[in-house]
Amino acid sequence: MRLTDIVVQHLPSPPKGAKIYTCDQLDGFGVRVSQAGTKAFVLTYGKHRERVTIGRYPILGLAAARIEAKRL
């Protein structure tokens, strides 16, 4: 999925738990959406598929989250 600001704003909440929508442009980068509608940028990396939370949306914007994901 190509993540843009408009796409991130309109991502649906799952009925249970959380769902991660991954970005096609940056490996391991995505947005986790919780059942309550909370959105957070995440990066999954490494051999053991470790996941780190970069920041919450809209406090942290998509462009800044991508920069931080590339840095990590």
Side-chain angles (χ1 to χ4, degrees), residues 43-59:
L43 179 66
T44 306
Y45 65 95
K47 181 179 170 183
H48 299 290
R49 307 297 294 158
E50 297 174 48
R51 184 176 301 137
V52 62
T53 301
I54 297 171
R56 290 180 76 178
Y57 179 83
I59 297 167

Side-chain angles (χ1 to χ4, degrees), residues 5-67:
D5 285 320
I6 293 173
V7 170
V8 172
Q9 286 176 358
H10 295 97
L11 288 174
S13 301
K16 286 185 177 180
K19 181 171 182 174
I20 296 178
Y21 297 91
T22 57
C23 181
D24 295 340
Q25 297 175 331
L26 186 58
D27 288 339
F29 179 69
V31 179
R32 182 178 60 230
V33 182
S34 72
Q35 179 179 358
T38 303
K39 297 173 184 163
F41 296 107
V42 295
L43 179 66
T44 306
Y45 65 95
K47 181 179 170 183
H48 299 290
R49 307 297 294 158
E50 297 174 48
R51 184 176 301 137
V52 62
T53 301
I54 297 171
R56 290 180 76 178
Y57 179 83
I59 297 167
L60 183 68
L62 178 60
R66 274 201 178 112
I67 291 170

